Amino acid sequence: GAVVSQHPSRVICKSGTSVKIECRSLDFQATTMFWYRQFPKQSLMLMATSNEGSKATYEQGVEKDKFLINHASLTLSTLTVTSAHPEDSSFYICSPTGATNEKLFFGSGTQLSVL
Amino acid sequence: DAKTTQPPSMDCAEGRAANLPCNHSTISGNEYVYWYRQIHSQGPQYIIHGLKNNETNEMASLIITEDRKSSTLILPHATLRDTAVYYCIVRFDSGGYQKVTFGTGTKLQVIP
């Protein structure tokens, strides 16, 4: 199966700082990247969808200026949580997909804790 | 976009078949049904997917009703390691545009 690398797996930061999460597809070209957020005991909630080289499309209620998504290449996408606050503490998961992928692939997730 | 609904939890005895239902009554003709599972604080793991026909692989079977408004994931012989949250997902993929909708998930507890 395809390999997805997401890091860091866990990050603790102070309120007001920015945190960058990287997601790489190691053996396929990810033309589309989904970013999810998951709160404890809840399902994955789609935050945004990005296509390589294009601006991301954000779901309703997700602030695009707070959650910056860069998808500049077919193997790398980043999510930057700017000016993080305790309410941003969550489990963030990336899901890269290519044009020929039948399956959906997911990163191992990043647990963000904002103090 | 299709929305999926699942029971929040289920128990299953070890060695017995686990049957997990999912309703997707608003699914459109070109949306696929996927099943994934998630163990605490990990990324979702692929199980199986299908469009219209029933599917079987080494992990599970997927039964989709003829009207495609619901499906059932079957784990034929549940083990303790199958304890996880199981998500029913609908995926739309057309001409480079994709939409993925997660269900609320069913927490399956396999009991010894």
PDB file of all heavy atoms in Angstrom, chain B residues 28-56:
ATOM      1  N   SER B  28     -25.459   9.171  -4.198  1.00  0.00           N
ATOM      2  CA  SER B  28     -25.730   9.309  -5.619  1.00  0.00           C
ATOM      3  C   SER B  28     -25.087   8.147  -6.379  1.00  0.00           C
ATOM      4  O   SER B  28     -24.285   7.391  -5.829  1.00  0.00           O
ATOM      5  CB  SER B  28     -25.190  10.641  -6.147  1.00  0.00           C
ATOM      6  OG  SER B  28     -23.784  10.670  -6.031  1.00  0.00           O
ATOM      7  N   GLY B  29     -25.445   8.034  -7.643  1.00  0.00           N
ATOM      8  CA  GLY B  29     -25.054   6.862  -8.413  1.00  0.00           C
ATOM      9  C   GLY B  29     -23.566   6.654  -8.582  1.00  0.00           C
ATOM     10  O   GLY B  29     -23.117   5.536  -8.800  1.00  0.00           O
ATOM     11  N   ASN B  30     -22.785   7.713  -8.506  1.00  0.00           N
ATOM     12  CA  ASN B  30     -21.349   7.562  -8.716  1.00  0.00           C
ATOM     13  C   ASN B  30     -20.529   7.772  -7.443  1.00  0.00           C
ATOM     14  O   ASN B  30     -19.350   8.095  -7.508  1.00  0.00           O
ATOM     15  CB  ASN B  30     -20.887   8.519  -9.821  1.00  0.00           C
ATOM     16  CG  ASN B  30     -21.355   9.926  -9.581  1.00  0.00           C
ATOM     17  OD1 ASN B  30     -21.944  10.230  -8.547  1.00  0.00           O
ATOM     18  ND2 ASN B  30     -21.098  10.808 -10.530  1.00  0.00           N
ATOM     19  N   GLU B  31     -21.150   7.621  -6.308  1.00  0.00           N
ATOM     20  CA  GLU B  31     -20.433   7.706  -5.040  1.00  0.00           C
ATOM     21  C   GLU B  31     -20.133   6.309  -4.514  1.00  0.00           C
ATOM     22  O   GLU B  31     -21.022   5.456  -4.456  1.00  0.00           O
ATOM     23  CB  GLU B  31     -21.250   8.500  -4.013  1.00  0.00           C
ATOM     24  CG  GLU B  31     -21.296   9.987  -4.310  1.00  0.00           C
ATOM     25  CD  GLU B  31     -22.072  10.762  -3.270  1.00  0.00           C
ATOM     26  OE1 GLU B  31     -23.258  10.438  -3.054  1.00  0.00           O
ATOM     27  OE2 GLU B  31     -21.495  11.696  -2.672  1.00  0.00           O
ATOM     28  N   TYR B  32     -18.895   6.113  -4.118  1.00  0.00           N
ATOM     29  CA  TYR B  32     -18.454   4.839  -3.580  1.00  0.00           C
ATOM     30  C   TYR B  32     -18.664   4.801  -2.062  1.00  0.00           C
ATOM     31  O   TYR B  32     -18.603   5.835  -1.381  1.00  0.00           O
ATOM     32  CB  TYR B  32     -16.964   4.627  -3.868  1.00  0.00           C
ATOM     33  CG  TYR B  32     -16.660   4.237  -5.290  1.00  0.00           C
ATOM     34  CD1 TYR B  32     -16.690   5.177  -6.322  1.00  0.00           C
ATOM     35  CD2 TYR B  32     -16.319   2.925  -5.610  1.00  0.00           C
ATOM     36  CE1 TYR B  32     -16.396   4.821  -7.625  1.00  0.00           C
ATOM     37  CE2 TYR B  32     -16.010   2.556  -6.909  1.00  0.00           C
ATOM     38  CZ  TYR B  32     -16.061   3.503  -7.904  1.00  0.00           C
ATOM     39  OH  TYR B  32     -15.767   3.133  -9.187  1.00  0.00           O
ATOM     40  N   VAL B  33     -18.797   3.598  -1.547  1.00  0.00           N
ATOM     41  CA  VAL B  33     -18.857   3.381  -0.104  1.00  0.00           C
ATOM     42  C   VAL B  33     -17.535   2.752   0.336  1.00  0.00           C
ATOM     43  O   VAL B  33     -17.090   1.747  -0.224  1.00  0.00           O
ATOM     44  CB  VAL B  33     -20.014   2.443   0.286  1.00  0.00           C
ATOM     45  CG1 VAL B  33     -20.018   2.204   1.792  1.00  0.00           C
ATOM     46  CG2 VAL B  33     -21.354   3.023  -0.162  1.00  0.00           C
ATOM     47  N   TYR B  34     -16.917   3.379   1.300  1.00  0.00           N
ATOM     48  CA  TYR B  34     -15.664   2.880   1.868  1.00  0.00           C
ATOM     49  C   TYR B  34     -15.856   2.596   3.353  1.00  0.00           C
ATOM     50  O   TYR B  34     -16.637   3.260   4.034  1.00  0.00           O
ATOM     51  CB  TYR B  34     -14.546   3.936   1.747  1.00  0.00           C
ATOM     52  CG  TYR B  34     -13.966   4.114   0.382  1.00  0.00           C
ATOM     53  CD1 TYR B  34     -14.664   4.770  -0.628  1.00  0.00           C
ATOM     54  CD2 TYR B  34     -12.678   3.655   0.095  1.00  0.00           C
ATOM     55  CE1 TYR B  34     -14.118   4.942  -1.891  1.00  0.00           C
ATOM     56  CE2 TYR B  34     -12.119   3.831  -1.157  1.00  0.00           C
ATOM     57  CZ  TYR B  34     -12.835   4.471  -2.149  1.00  0.00           C
ATOM     58  OH  TYR B  34     -12.289   4.638  -3.381  1.00  0.00           O
ATOM     59  N   TRP B  35     -15.081   1.636   3.829  1.00  0.00           N
ATOM     60  CA  TRP B  35     -15.035   1.376   5.265  1.00  0.00           C
ATOM     61  C   TRP B  35     -13.585   1.444   5.723  1.00  0.00           C
ATOM     62  O   TRP B  35     -12.686   0.845   5.111  1.00  0.00           O
ATOM     63  CB  TRP B  35     -15.617  -0.004   5.595  1.00  0.00           C
ATOM     64  CG  TRP B  35     -17.107  -0.035   5.594  1.00  0.00           C
ATOM     65  CD1 TRP B  35     -17.931  -0.205   4.518  1.00  0.00           C
ATOM     66  CD2 TRP B  35     -17.967   0.096   6.731  1.00  0.00           C
ATOM     67  NE1 TRP B  35     -19.246  -0.188   4.924  1.00  0.00           N
ATOM     68  CE2 TRP B  35     -19.297  -0.011   6.261  1.00  0.00           C
ATOM     69  CE3 TRP B  35     -17.750   0.281   8.100  1.00  0.00           C
ATOM     70  CZ2 TRP B  35     -20.398   0.068   7.122  1.00  0.00           C
ATOM     71  CZ3 TRP B  35     -18.838   0.355   8.943  1.00  0.00           C
ATOM     72  CH2 TRP B  35     -20.146   0.251   8.454  1.00  0.00           C
ATOM     73  N   TYR B  36     -13.402   2.192   6.812  1.00  0.00           N
ATOM     74  CA  TYR B  36     -12.098   2.309   7.453  1.00  0.00           C
ATOM     75  C   TYR B  36     -12.285   2.066   8.942  1.00  0.00           C
ATOM     76  O   TYR B  36     -13.388   2.186   9.469  1.00  0.00           O
ATOM     77  CB  TYR B  36     -11.507   3.711   7.244  1.00  0.00           C
ATOM     78  CG  TYR B  36     -10.855   3.904   5.911  1.00  0.00           C
ATOM     79  CD1 TYR B  36     -11.620   4.019   4.753  1.00  0.00           C
ATOM     80  CD2 TYR B  36      -9.467   3.950   5.785  1.00  0.00           C
ATOM     81  CE1 TYR B  36     -11.018   4.162   3.511  1.00  0.00           C
ATOM     82  CE2 TYR B  36      -8.857   4.108   4.551  1.00  0.00           C
ATOM     83  CZ  TYR B  36      -9.636   4.201   3.422  1.00  0.00           C
ATOM     84  OH  TYR B  36      -9.041   4.344   2.207  1.00  0.00           O
ATOM     85  N   ARG B  37     -11.211   1.759   9.615  1.00  0.00           N
ATOM     86  CA  ARG B  37     -11.269   1.679  11.060  1.00  0.00           C
ATOM     87  C   ARG B  37     -10.112   2.454  11.664  1.00  0.00           C
ATOM     88  O   ARG B  37      -9.076   2.655  11.025  1.00  0.00           O
ATOM     89  CB  ARG B  37     -11.265   0.232  11.539  1.00  0.00           C
ATOM     90  CG  ARG B  37      -9.962  -0.523  11.365  1.00  0.00           C
ATOM     91  CD  ARG B  37     -10.144  -1.960  11.824  1.00  0.00           C
ATOM     92  NE  ARG B  37      -8.908  -2.729  11.724  1.00  0.00           N
ATOM     93  CZ  ARG B  37      -8.846  -4.046  11.946  1.00  0.00           C
ATOM     94  NH1 ARG B  37      -9.946  -4.715  12.283  1.00  0.00           N
ATOM     95  NH2 ARG B  37      -7.704  -4.671  11.844  1.00  0.00           N
ATOM     96  N   GLN B  38     -10.321   2.871  12.893  1.00  0.00           N
ATOM     97  CA  GLN B  38      -9.325   3.692  13.563  1.00  0.00           C
ATOM     98  C   GLN B  38      -9.141   3.195  14.994  1.00  0.00           C
ATOM     99  O   GLN B  38     -10.107   3.056  15.746  1.00  0.00           O
ATOM    100  CB  GLN B  38      -9.770   5.161  13.575  1.00  0.00           C
ATOM    101  CG  GLN B  38      -8.728   6.110  14.129  1.00  0.00           C
ATOM    102  CD  GLN B  38      -9.219   7.552  14.157  1.00  0.00           C
ATOM    103  OE1 GLN B  38     -10.401   7.822  14.309  1.00  0.00           O
ATOM    104  NE2 GLN B  38      -8.298   8.493  14.011  1.00  0.00           N
ATOM    105  N   ILE B  39      -7.900   2.946  15.301  1.00  0.00           N
ATOM    106  CA  ILE B  39      -7.534   2.611  16.671  1.00  0.00           C
ATOM    107  C   ILE B  39      -7.005   3.902  17.290  1.00  0.00           C
ATOM    108  O   ILE B  39      -6.403   4.724  16.606  1.00  0.00           O
ATOM    109  CB  ILE B  39      -6.492   1.484  16.683  1.00  0.00           C
ATOM    110  CG1 ILE B  39      -7.124   0.223  16.072  1.00  0.00           C
ATOM    111  CG2 ILE B  39      -5.999   1.196  18.095  1.00  0.00           C
ATOM    112  CD1 ILE B  39      -6.170  -0.899  15.829  1.00  0.00           C
ATOM    113  N   HIS B  40      -7.216   4.054  18.559  1.00  0.00           N
ATOM    114  CA  HIS B  40      -6.988   5.316  19.250  1.00  0.00           C
ATOM    115  C   HIS B  40      -5.695   6.016  18.819  1.00  0.00           C
ATOM    116  O   HIS B  40      -4.629   5.431  18.814  1.00  0.00           O
ATOM    117  CB  HIS B  40      -6.959   5.065  20.755  1.00  0.00           C
ATOM    118  CG  HIS B  40      -6.738   6.310  21.566  1.00  0.00           C
ATOM    119  ND1 HIS B  40      -7.645   7.352  21.562  1.00  0.00           N
ATOM    120  CD2 HIS B  40      -5.719   6.680  22.354  1.00  0.00           C
ATOM    121  CE1 HIS B  40      -7.178   8.306  22.351  1.00  0.00           C
ATOM    122  NE2 HIS B  40      -6.018   7.922  22.850  1.00  0.00           N
ATOM    123  N   SER B  41      -5.858   7.301  18.428  1.00  0.00           N
ATOM    124  CA  SER B  41      -4.730   8.177  18.106  1.00  0.00           C
ATOM    125  C   SER B  41      -3.866   7.659  16.969  1.00  0.00           C
ATOM    126  O   SER B  41      -2.646   7.854  16.969  1.00  0.00           O
ATOM    127  CB  SER B  41      -3.866   8.428  19.346  1.00  0.00           C
ATOM    128  OG  SER B  41      -4.603   9.122  20.316  1.00  0.00           O
ATOM    129  N   GLN B  42      -4.490   6.997  16.017  1.00  0.00           N
ATOM    130  CA  GLN B  42      -3.787   6.591  14.801  1.00  0.00           C
ATOM    131  C   GLN B  42      -4.598   7.044  13.596  1.00  0.00           C
ATOM    132  O   GLN B  42      -5.766   7.405  13.724  1.00  0.00           O
ATOM    133  CB  GLN B  42      -3.607   5.069  14.765  1.00  0.00           C
ATOM    134  CG  GLN B  42      -2.729   4.514  15.865  1.00  0.00           C
ATOM    135  CD  GLN B  42      -2.550   3.011  15.737  1.00  0.00           C
ATOM    136  OE1 GLN B  42      -2.689   2.435  14.657  1.00  0.00           O
ATOM    137  NE2 GLN B  42      -2.245   2.367  16.842  1.00  0.00           N
ATOM    138  N   GLY B  43      -3.978   6.998  12.423  1.00  0.00           N
ATOM    139  CA  GLY B  43      -4.713   7.306  11.215  1.00  0.00           C
ATOM    140  C   GLY B  43      -5.639   6.165  10.844  1.00  0.00           C
ATOM    141  O   GLY B  43      -5.406   5.012  11.227  1.00  0.00           O
ATOM    142  N   PRO B  44      -6.714   6.448  10.116  1.00  0.00           N
ATOM    143  CA  PRO B  44      -7.650   5.394   9.704  1.00  0.00           C
ATOM    144  C   PRO B  44      -6.982   4.349   8.814  1.00  0.00           C
ATOM    145  O   PRO B  44      -6.107   4.669   8.010  1.00  0.00           O
ATOM    146  CB  PRO B  44      -8.727   6.162   8.931  1.00  0.00           C
ATOM    147  CG  PRO B  44      -8.669   7.554   9.483  1.00  0.00           C
ATOM    148  CD  PRO B  44      -7.208   7.786   9.762  1.00  0.00           C
ATOM    149  N   GLN B  45      -7.422   3.111   8.976  1.00  0.00           N
ATOM    150  CA  GLN B  45      -6.885   1.972   8.220  1.00  0.00           C
ATOM    151  C   GLN B  45      -7.933   1.477   7.236  1.00  0.00           C
ATOM    152  O   GLN B  45      -9.090   1.254   7.617  1.00  0.00           O
ATOM    153  CB  GLN B  45      -6.503   0.850   9.192  1.00  0.00           C
ATOM    154  CG  GLN B  45      -6.039  -0.431   8.528  1.00  0.00           C
ATOM    155  CD  GLN B  45      -5.974  -1.600   9.499  1.00  0.00           C
ATOM    156  OE1 GLN B  45      -6.560  -1.574  10.574  1.00  0.00           O
ATOM    157  NE2 GLN B  45      -5.275  -2.651   9.103  1.00  0.00           N
ATOM    158  N   TYR B  46      -7.546   1.276   5.995  1.00  0.00           N
ATOM    159  CA  TYR B  46      -8.472   0.816   4.953  1.00  0.00           C
ATOM    160  C   TYR B  46      -8.948  -0.606   5.242  1.00  0.00           C
ATOM    161  O   TYR B  46      -8.179  -1.474   5.673  1.00  0.00           O
ATOM    162  CB  TYR B  46      -7.764   0.828   3.597  1.00  0.00           C
ATOM    163  CG  TYR B  46      -8.557   0.202   2.466  1.00  0.00           C
ATOM    164  CD1 TYR B  46      -9.562   0.917   1.828  1.00  0.00           C
ATOM    165  CD2 TYR B  46      -8.280  -1.094   2.047  1.00  0.00           C
ATOM    166  CE1 TYR B  46     -10.282   0.354   0.785  1.00  0.00           C
ATOM    167  CE2 TYR B  46      -8.995  -1.670   1.012  1.00  0.00           C
ATOM    168  CZ  TYR B  46      -9.995  -0.945   0.378  1.00  0.00           C
ATOM    169  OH  TYR B  46     -10.702  -1.515  -0.639  1.00  0.00           O
ATOM    170  N   ILE B  47     -10.257  -0.823   4.998  1.00  0.00           N
ATOM    171  CA  ILE B  47     -10.793  -2.173   5.116  1.00  0.00           C
ATOM    172  C   ILE B  47     -11.282  -2.667   3.751  1.00  0.00           C
ATOM    173  O   ILE B  47     -10.821  -3.674   3.236  1.00  0.00           O
ATOM    174  CB  ILE B  47     -11.954  -2.233   6.130  1.00  0.00           C
ATOM    175  CG1 ILE B  47     -11.481  -1.763   7.506  1.00  0.00           C
ATOM    176  CG2 ILE B  47     -12.512  -3.663   6.209  1.00  0.00           C
ATOM    177  CD1 ILE B  47     -12.605  -1.647   8.525  1.00  0.00           C
ATOM    178  N   ILE B  48     -12.228  -1.938   3.165  1.00  0.00           N
ATOM    179  CA  ILE B  48     -12.852  -2.410   1.939  1.00  0.00           C
ATOM    180  C   ILE B  48     -13.644  -1.276   1.314  1.00  0.00           C
ATOM    181  O   ILE B  48     -13.960  -0.288   1.998  1.00  0.00           O
ATOM    182  CB  ILE B  48     -13.769  -3.620   2.249  1.00  0.00           C
ATOM    183  CG1 ILE B  48     -14.073  -4.456   0.999  1.00  0.00           C
ATOM    184  CG2 ILE B  48     -15.053  -3.169   2.942  1.00  0.00           C
ATOM    185  CD1 ILE B  48     -14.678  -5.820   1.331  1.00  0.00           C
ATOM    186  N   HIS B  49     -13.954  -1.362   0.019  1.00  0.00           N
ATOM    187  CA  HIS B  49     -14.831  -0.388  -0.602  1.00  0.00           C
ATOM    188  C   HIS B  49     -15.591  -1.023  -1.757  1.00  0.00           C
ATOM    189  O   HIS B  49     -15.212  -2.096  -2.260  1.00  0.00           O
ATOM    190  CB  HIS B  49     -14.066   0.851  -1.074  1.00  0.00           C
ATOM    191  CG  HIS B  49     -13.264   0.659  -2.330  1.00  0.00           C
ATOM    192  ND1 HIS B  49     -12.040   0.019  -2.343  1.00  0.00           N
ATOM    193  CD2 HIS B  49     -13.507   1.043  -3.608  1.00  0.00           C
ATOM    194  CE1 HIS B  49     -11.568   0.017  -3.577  1.00  0.00           C
ATOM    195  NE2 HIS B  49     -12.423   0.629  -4.368  1.00  0.00           N
ATOM    196  N   GLY B  50     -16.684  -0.361  -2.167  1.00  0.00           N
ATOM    197  CA  GLY B  50     -17.491  -0.874  -3.263  1.00  0.00           C
ATOM    198  C   GLY B  50     -18.407   0.193  -3.820  1.00  0.00           C
ATOM    199  O   GLY B  50     -18.615   1.247  -3.209  1.00  0.00           O
ATOM    200  N   LEU B  51     -18.989  -0.095  -4.983  1.00  0.00           N
ATOM    201  CA  LEU B  51     -19.915   0.828  -5.618  1.00  0.00           C
ATOM    202  C   LEU B  51     -21.335   0.263  -5.614  1.00  0.00           C
ATOM    203  O   LEU B  51     -22.246   0.874  -5.076  1.00  0.00           O
ATOM    204  CB  LEU B  51     -19.477   1.107  -7.055  1.00  0.00           C
ATOM    205  CG  LEU B  51     -20.332   2.088  -7.842  1.00  0.00           C
ATOM    206  CD1 LEU B  51     -20.293   3.477  -7.211  1.00  0.00           C
ATOM    207  CD2 LEU B  51     -19.873   2.157  -9.305  1.00  0.00           C
ATOM    208  N   LYS B  52     -21.494  -0.894  -6.251  1.00  0.00           N
ATOM    209  CA  LYS B  52     -22.816  -1.506  -6.326  1.00  0.00           C
ATOM    210  C   LYS B  52     -22.795  -2.949  -5.841  1.00  0.00           C
ATOM    211  O   LYS B  52     -23.678  -3.392  -5.119  1.00  0.00           O
ATOM    212  CB  LYS B  52     -23.310  -1.530  -7.777  1.00  0.00           C
ATOM    213  CG  LYS B  52     -23.549  -0.198  -8.412  1.00  0.00           C
ATOM    214  CD  LYS B  52     -24.052  -0.394  -9.834  1.00  0.00           C
ATOM    215  CE  LYS B  52     -24.099   0.891 -10.605  1.00  0.00           C
ATOM    216  NZ  LYS B  52     -24.507   0.677 -12.010  1.00  0.00           N
ATOM    217  N   ASN B  53     -21.758  -3.657  -6.288  1.00  0.00           N
ATOM    218  CA  ASN B  53     -21.711  -5.090  -6.007  1.00  0.00           C
ATOM    219  C   ASN B  53     -21.133  -5.362  -4.623  1.00  0.00           C
ATOM    220  O   ASN B  53     -20.396  -4.549  -4.068  1.00  0.00           O
ATOM    221  CB  ASN B  53     -20.845  -5.797  -7.050  1.00  0.00           C
ATOM    222  CG  ASN B  53     -21.391  -5.618  -8.451  1.00  0.00           C
ATOM    223  OD1 ASN B  53     -22.590  -5.645  -8.664  1.00  0.00           O
ATOM    224  ND2 ASN B  53     -20.495  -5.419  -9.402  1.00  0.00           N
ATOM    225  N   ASN B  54     -21.482  -6.516  -4.096  1.00  0.00           N
ATOM    226  CA  ASN B  54     -20.873  -6.951  -2.846  1.00  0.00           C
ATOM    227  C   ASN B  54     -19.397  -7.237  -3.086  1.00  0.00           C
ATOM    228  O   ASN B  54     -18.999  -7.671  -4.168  1.00  0.00           O
ATOM    229  CB  ASN B  54     -21.588  -8.205  -2.325  1.00  0.00           C
ATOM    230  CG  ASN B  54     -23.047  -7.928  -2.020  1.00  0.00           C
ATOM    231  OD1 ASN B  54     -23.442  -6.779  -1.769  1.00  0.00           O
ATOM    232  ND2 ASN B  54     -23.860  -8.963  -2.045  1.00  0.00           N
ATOM    233  N   GLU B  55     -18.593  -6.970  -2.090  1.00  0.00           N
ATOM    234  CA  GLU B  55     -17.160  -7.150  -2.198  1.00  0.00           C
ATOM    235  C   GLU B  55     -16.643  -7.970  -1.033  1.00  0.00           C
ATOM    236  O   GLU B  55     -17.201  -7.898   0.074  1.00  0.00           O
ATOM    237  CB  GLU B  55     -16.440  -5.797  -2.224  1.00  0.00           C
ATOM    238  CG  GLU B  55     -16.872  -4.850  -3.331  1.00  0.00           C
ATOM    239  CD  GLU B  55     -16.370  -5.273  -4.699  1.00  0.00           C
ATOM    240  OE1 GLU B  55     -15.394  -6.055  -4.773  1.00  0.00           O
ATOM    241  OE2 GLU B  55     -16.969  -4.835  -5.699  1.00  0.00           O
ATOM    242  N   THR B  56     -15.575  -8.705  -1.275  1.00  0.00           N
ATOM    243  CA  THR B  56     -14.925  -9.480  -0.213  1.00  0.00           C
ATOM    244  C   THR B  56     -13.428  -9.396  -0.399  1.00  0.00           C
ATOM    245  O   THR B  56     -12.930  -9.478  -1.518  1.00  0.00           O
ATOM    246  CB  THR B  56     -15.383 -10.952  -0.249  1.00  0.00           C
ATOM    247  OG1 THR B  56     -16.781 -11.022   0.020  1.00  0.00           O
ATOM    248  CG2 THR B  56     -14.653 -11.776   0.806  1.00  0.00           C
TER     249      THR B  56
END
